[in-house]
Amino acid sequence: MSPRRWLAASCALVTAAAAVAIATAAQAANPIITSIYTADPAPLVVGNTMYVYAGRDEAPTGNNNFLMREWHVLSSTDAQNWTHHGARANIGTFSWAGADAWAGEVEPRNGKYYWYTSVNGNGPGWMNIGVAVGDSPLGPFTDAKGGPLISDSTANSSGLNIDPTVFVDDDGQAYMYWGGYWAPRAVRLASNMIDTVGPVVTPQGLTNFWEAPWMFKRNGLYYMMYAANDTGGCVTNSNYACQRYATATSPLGPWTHRGVVLGQVSSTTNHAGVVELNGQWYIVYHTADAPGGGNFRRSVAVDKLYFNADGTIQRVIPTTGGGGGSGTNVAPSATASTSYVSSWESLAAINNGGTPANSQDRSNLAYGNWPEQGTQWIEYQWPAARSLNRSSVYWFDDNQGIDLPASCQLQYWNGSQYVNVPGQSPCGVAGDTENPITFNTVSTTRLRLNITSRTGLSTGVLEWKAFQS
Ligand code: FUB
């Protein structure tokens, strides 16, 4: 993503429209709302309700700048059926601001809800971080501070002061991370949540950080997810972004990079949040997938997120099914078999939920069929029929006898024989990435992946997923 694009961003004047006191139903599938364009979602769970705070994209078709003046709220108790509560804050919430209602996040504390926002101030410099406060997740929200919490004049601030993520640890200490232009920053917050304490520090270990950090904690481990735009396993074109993540054993790091959670999406920007609702983890992100959508006309989507037993995160493949039962990778519940596996390799690799860093990454085992050549297969079998319409495969390439395949083909058991899945998209053979495959929905107890090797070589797989439709 080019910094020039940010510099061209709109400086539209404020429309200080009053918060819209409406609540309308939104749909159950991705994008979760199409009545307006929404971006930069920040989920928050209060009780059994997930709130999603998101900016509104108002850029007309063909306009290549952001036009964002409001922050909206949606809510759901099942991550499938959403209520749109309208705009709950806007640029006019901050008398010192003039444009660019960019990404924000709400953090609760002491019965209040603090909404940290990226917004363009009227003073010197460009983006600032403001904080509004309300007595409920839906507000009403008012400026909590009367001026920016972070601005370009803050010592050691980021090259672009946007995208705050605020986290209150179990001991009551609050932290804020933020930043853009490859410059992450962190600072402690006072217990009043509207003042910083101590110096702004530069977190270490957030490999390829671009913008949009999101912090959370699970089983005592700190997670930082963030947008990156490198072409070394993240995106094919650095105008786009992916979501990488890192973990740490203390809230200010140092961080250890763990891999990609969410690959390139249809919008150039990639901004996401993670939250747990009723025992299920979700990732909330945006794409350009809504009708008429684009890079400045984005839409919020939700999908389930899964962790491996070792705490690493399984890579998300965006679905159109929303956060419900559809889109689930059912490979881990299948019994795997194969035409051949080398005695020193492991068939268990293919559905053990590993998240390979690249095609040479054996850290979660590897399936390989050296010295066999030609067409070999791997297969999943479930005790009851599954309704499937997507798959993905991450190939193993040991740079020796095992190489990327020449081709592949998905088949399913139709009750009497294996036949090709209908309407299959090209079966990709790229290394260092997931190769998604879509097909028309089939109901089956068995799915087979036929893998044809390149001449003189064998093939291997690090992870093979099968998704419920
Ligand atoms: O929506 C405006 C900006 O785009 C956000 O602040 C960034 O995270 C990117 O999504």
Side-chain angles (χ1 to χ4, degrees):
M1 178 180 324
S2 160
R4 283 195 303 276
R5 208 197 65 213
W6 288 139
L7 294 171
S10 167
C11 288
L13 291 175
V14 182
T15 298
V20 184
I22 55 165
T24 53
Q27 66 264 39
N30 286 329
I32 62 172
I33 174 170
T34 52
S35 55
I36 59 169
Y37 295 104
T38 51
D40 306 325
L44 169 70
V45 168
V46 180
N48 67 352
T49 301
M50 188 198 305
Y51 294 89
V52 171
Y53 300 84
R56 177 179 183 182
D57 270 342
E58 296 183 80
T61 313
N63 186 338
N64 286 333
N65 290 316
F66 291 118
L67 177 56
M68 304 182 75
R69 300 179 289 197
E70 302 173 337
W71 292 279
H72 283 238
V73 187
L74 295 109
S75 70
S76 173
T77 54
D78 60 6
Q80 293 196 73
N81 298 290
W82 292 90
T83 300
H84 179 207
H85 300 280
R88 295 284 161 162
N90 55 52
I91 292 167
T93 303
F94 303 101
S95 59
W96 47 270
D100 299 334
W102 288 10
E105 178 178 328
V106 172
E107 184 68 18
R109 181 146 197 189
N110 299 330
K112 295 196 180 299
Y113 295 82
Y114 294 88
W115 197 339
Y116 300 85
T117 63
S118 316
V119 69
N120 191 346
N122 283 321
W126 185 13
M127 295 301 288
N128 304 271
I129 293 175
V131 52
V133 65
D135 289 331
S136 85
L138 295 176
F141 291 94
T142 55
D143 188 358
K145 196 172 169 67
L149 178 60
I150 299 288
S151 70
D152 286 346
S153 57
T154 303
N156 192 35
S157 69
S158 173
L160 186 58
N161 291 303
I162 60 170
D163 298 356
T165 179
V166 172
F167 170 79
V168 181
D169 208 349
D170 304 332
D171 63 2
Q173 178 62 58
Y175 302 86
M176 182 170 76
Y177 280 75
W178 76 98
Y181 287 164
W182 305 281
R185 294 292 186 264
V187 72
R188 287 185 172 84
L189 293 182
S191 57
N192 67 8
M193 300 295 274
I194 63 169
D195 290 316
T196 62
V197 176
V200 170
V201 298
T202 303
Q204 302 299 311
L206 301 179
T207 305
N208 293 325
F209 176 95
W210 160 247
E211 61 183 13
W214 178 269
M215 187 175 183
F216 65 101
K217 189 177 184 181
R218 179 181 178 272
N219 294 341
L221 192 62
Y222 300 88
Y223 288 78
M224 186 69 72
M225 186 173 69
Y226 53 92
N229 66 340
D230 61 275
T231 52
C234 171
V235 289
T236 55
N237 171 340
S238 59
N239 284 328
Y240 286 81
C242 74
Q243 289 290 325
R244 290 189 175 278
Y245 78 108
T247 59
T249 52
S250 64
L252 287 174
W255 298 92
T256 302
H257 175 252
R258 299 288 180 193
V260 172
V261 183
L262 175 67
Q264 184 172 320
V265 295
S266 51
S267 56
T268 48
T269 56
N270 193 328
H271 192 118
V274 163
V275 80
E276 184 182 21
L277 174 69
N278 297 329
Q280 173 66 55
W281 288 85
Y282 294 92
I283 185 168
V284 188
Y285 57 101
H286 68 222
T287 68
D289 289 349
N295 294 330
F296 306 96
R297 294 158 67 82
R298 300 162 292 180
S299 293
V300 170
V302 178
D303 273 304
K304 288 183 174 178
L305 185 77
Y306 294 95
F307 291 82
N308 298 312
D310 64 0
T312 54
I313 303 178
Q314 295 183 14
R315 185 171 168 139
V316 174
I317 296 200
T319 74
T320 54
S326 61
T328 302
N329 172 25
V330 293
S333 64
T335 301
S337 56
T338 181
S339 55
Y340 185 81
V341 57
S342 316
S343 58
W344 56 91
E345 306 289 15
S346 173
L347 180 62
I350 67 174
N351 61 342
N352 66 0
T355 309
N358 54 56
S359 283
Q360 285 78 49
D361 180 7
R362 288 172 172 272
S363 57
N364 279 293
L365 305 176
Y367 158 81
N369 52 39
W370 191 86
E372 297 301 310
Q373 296 176 18
T375 299
Q376 300 294 324
W377 53 260
I378 52 178
E379 180 183 305
Y380 286 144
Q381 183 161 0
W382 293 271
R386 301 292 185 146
S387 193
L388 308 171
N389 68 351
R390 279 187 314 119
S391 180
S392 77
V393 57
Y394 205 115
W395 301 109
F396 175 43
D397 174 1
D398 70 356
N399 287 327
Q400 298 181 62
I402 293 177
D403 209 320
L404 301 172
S407 64
C408 49
Q409 173 66 51
L410 267 184
Q411 294 191 311
Y412 78 105
W413 184 255
N414 69 1
S416 53
Q417 61 179 329
Y418 271 106
V419 295
N420 292 348
V421 294
Q424 184 192 295
S425 64
C427 192
V429 294
D432 301 330
T433 188
E434 285 204 48
N435 290 272
I437 309 163
T438 58
F439 48 94
N440 301 338
T441 300
V442 295
S443 178
T444 186
T445 55
R446 294 191 221 169
L447 193 68
R448 178 178 281 195
L449 180 61
N450 291 312
I451 313 165
T452 303
S453 68
R454 300 182 190 197
T455 307
L457 293 160
S458 303
T459 53
V461 169
L462 294 176
E463 196 69 26
W464 176 34
K465 295 178 182 174
F467 293 93
Q468 206 152 270
S469 63

